[in-house]
Amino acid sequence: MATTQAKFLTGNLFRHISVMSLTASIGLMAVFIVDFVDMVFISMLGKTELAAAVGYAGAILFFTTSFGIGMAISAGALVARALGAGEVELARRRATTALIYGVLFSAIFALIVWLNLHPLARLMGATGETLDLAVHYLQIIIPSLPLLLIGMVGGAILRAHGAARRAMMATVIGGLVNAVLDPILIFGLNLELTGAALASVCARVAIAATALLPILRHYGGFSRPSPAELWADFPPILTVAFPAILTQLATPLGQAYVTRSMAQFGEEAVAGMAIVSRMTPVAFAVIFALSGAVGPIIGQNFGAGQHDRVKRAYFDGLLFTLIFVLGVTLVLFGLRGPIAALFEVEGVARALVFLFCGPLALAFFFNGMLFVSNAAFNNLGYPFYSTAINWARHTLGTIPFVLLGAAWFGAEGVLIGQAAGGVLFGLLSLWLARGVMARVEAGAKVAKPGPFQRQGRLMSLLHLRR
């Protein structure tokens, strides 16, 4: 059975990273392209307030999605480590308990957000009709967060087993569902923004179902943990999930500040930023997938005590990031004119699109560096390092840079400042990751640790170690 194989302990690491990243990115891209097409359709309606509403709503959706990403990181790290250590039953049980806790907590989180949509949208800078449209859009989508979490955690479990293609298919199918329903609901039934929201909910149902089926059929399914086992698994799940969720929440909060800063330059600027926000994950889906791809590779080799392969996986991840970003930047620069024409943008919105299709795209290498470093921190027992570096990047590395950029260069300066902070903290994450890998290897030479034995001094103080 597939559950017995820890496939990343041997073989070429750069190839493993490439296959995992590219297959995972296809699944991500299926969803991101649909979001991209949503924006094209909404732009075709000729109503600036609709595009701006999607921009404001996107910042809040990013916030809720980050909760699911954090739980998926926890599930993937725990399952990969257990498989690397040869503990197949533990991996199966951890997959089950991570999914149970994830659904429970995401339902509570979704309810809290849903009850506070108006103040959250106002905080983003939305007003008047745009505010009402953004809240209406979110009221439909937010309750489906537990479904999205099931899909994310299921995909992380599959990637921990090395089943990148099966994880990919879950999001591909979800993307296809969304792509088919979008034109029918938006134009055919004339539902406009409501249709786009309903299509997204249907896609989340499809993603959840298709992520679970391969686990049930090919990877041992799920166990039936007793109350004692559920309670026993809570500390190790929380050890990774809590800092991972905090880490992921930093990004949408930073983006929310950027959105609010852009709002001072008018709805056209917010619409331009919304277009860039939809383009970014399409262009760099491979880099967004990189953290989830490198994580299981590092986790399995850490679980097996193969520290040379851990370090090689990290640096191969950075090399892969550099090659990919250079290639994508050249393509975007060559297509900047047709891309702007596709959205029929002018003025400041066109300027923002052109800015992205050039120097800002090139600077995304440093975001990729941060993603790879986070994968190392989360899988080597130092998840709070991810939390610290991400929060610093999206506060100290965002607010002062965006303030200065906006003051010096206007709307374009908002995005320039955001990118400049990413360069600084990407380099800082590299320095920290090298130190963590050296520390873990040195500790292993003194006494061979178990998969969850080294959680860092802070985790020891909190008594959250296994």
Side-chain angles (χ1 to χ4, degrees):
M1 196 187 309
T3 52
T4 60
Q5 185 177 4
K7 66 182 293 183
F8 302 128
L9 302 183
T10 59
N12 184 281
L13 287 166
F14 190 85
R15 182 180 181 279
H16 284 321
I17 291 168
S18 301
V19 170
M20 289 285 286
S21 298
L22 291 171
T23 51
S25 69
I26 292 172
L28 282 176
M29 197 175 295
V31 176
F32 293 147
I33 285 176
V34 171
D35 288 341
F36 182 78
V37 172
D38 278 350
M39 183 58 70
V40 174
F41 286 158
I42 290 167
S43 298
M44 288 170 62
L45 293 171
K47 300 177 181 179
T48 304
E49 64 272 15
L50 290 178
V54 172
Y56 291 121
I60 296 173
L61 284 176
F62 195 7
F63 177 71
T64 60
T65 301
S66 295
F67 183 92
I69 294 172
M71 286 302 303
I73 288 171
S74 175
L78 294 170
V79 173
R81 289 183 193 175
L83 289 173
E87 300 180 45
V88 177
E89 275 306 309
L90 178 62
R92 182 167 170 258
R93 195 185 84 198
R94 288 275 163 79
T96 306
T97 52
L99 192 62
I100 292 171
Y101 283 121
V103 170
L104 175 63
F105 292 141
S106 67
I108 296 170
F109 184 64
L111 178 62
I112 294 170
V113 172
W114 194 87
L115 292 173
N116 292 278
L117 285 177
H118 273 92
L120 286 171
R122 285 195 198 96
L123 191 61
M124 298 300 102
T127 57
E129 184 182 2
T130 302
L131 170 65
D132 294 335
L133 288 168
V135 169
H136 172 69
Y137 182 74
L138 290 165
Q139 283 175 332
I140 298 171
I141 296 181
I142 293 296
S144 65
L145 178 61
L147 293 170
L148 180 63
L149 182 134
I150 291 172
M152 287 181 164
V153 171
I157 293 167
L158 289 170
R159 285 190 294 274
H161 283 280
R165 289 178 180 84
R166 288 191 169 113
M168 170 194 76
M169 288 308 300
T171 43
V172 167
I173 290 172
L176 289 174
V177 169
N178 205 335
V180 170
L181 291 179
D182 258 339
I184 295 173
L185 297 176
I186 294 174
F187 294 111
L189 298 181
N190 199 31
L191 294 176
E192 296 187 346
L193 208 58
T194 301
L198 290 173
S200 295
V201 172
C202 292
R204 291 182 174 192
V205 174
I207 291 170
T210 50
L212 293 182
L213 284 175
I215 299 174
L216 295 171
R217 292 177 178 175
H218 305 288
Y219 297 94
F222 297 97
S223 63
R224 292 185 177 181
S226 66
E229 288 173 329
L230 272 170
W231 181 249
D233 283 350
F234 184 69
I237 289 172
L238 185 65
T239 296
V240 182
F242 180 65
I245 290 169
L246 287 180
T247 300
Q248 296 304 313
L249 289 178
T251 304
L253 288 176
Q255 186 61 38
Y257 179 79
V258 172
T259 302
R260 185 173 178 84
S261 298
M262 191 66 78
Q264 66 184 298
F265 299 103
E267 289 193 350
E268 188 177 282
V270 175
M273 188 201 66
I275 292 169
V276 170
S277 297
R278 292 298 191 275
M279 289 171 58
T280 301
V282 173
F284 294 108
V286 173
I287 305 303
F288 279 97
L290 193 59
S291 182
V294 174
I297 298 171
I298 291 176
Q300 284 192 9
N301 283 283
F302 173 59
Q306 299 185 166
H307 296 283
D308 286 342
R309 286 180 65 83
V310 168
K311 289 186 290 186
R312 181 61 184 268
Y314 177 83
F315 288 107
D316 278 0
L318 295 184
L319 176 61
F320 180 87
T321 302
L322 177 62
I323 294 170
F324 186 84
V325 169
L326 287 173
V328 168
T329 301
L330 290 174
V331 172
L332 287 172
F333 186 76
L335 295 177
R336 64 194 186 282
I339 290 171
L342 176 65
F343 290 99
E344 302 177 359
V345 290
E346 296 179 353
V348 65
R350 180 183 177 86
L352 292 174
V353 170
F354 269 56
L355 178 63
F356 170 74
C357 297
L360 292 192
L362 193 62
F364 206 82
F365 167 70
F366 297 95
N367 287 330
M369 184 179 291
L370 192 60
F371 295 160
V372 177
S373 297
N374 284 340
F377 299 144
N378 289 328
N379 285 273
L380 293 178
Y382 289 81
F384 273 107
Y385 277 48
S386 287
T387 306
I389 194 72
N390 264 34
W391 276 93
R393 186 265 181 271
H394 291 288
T395 51
L396 299 176
T398 297
I399 295 173
F401 290 91
V402 168
L403 279 172
L404 289 174
W408 291 344
F409 305 109
E412 293 170 90
V414 173
L415 297 186
I416 292 171
Q418 185 184 29
V423 173
L424 175 63
F425 281 89
L427 293 171
L428 179 60
S429 73
L430 170 64
W431 178 73
L432 286 173
R434 291 183 64 183
V436 164
M437 288 185 289
R439 195 177 310 166
V440 168
E441 185 175 14
K445 290 177 180 177
V446 175
K448 185 178 179 181
F452 305 101
Q453 199 169 359
R454 293 182 55 81
Q455 297 294 340
R457 292 183 179 179
L458 181 57
M459 301 314 305
S460 298
L461 292 172
L462 294 173
H463 302 289
L464 290 177
R465 290 188 304 171
R466 182 184 172 194

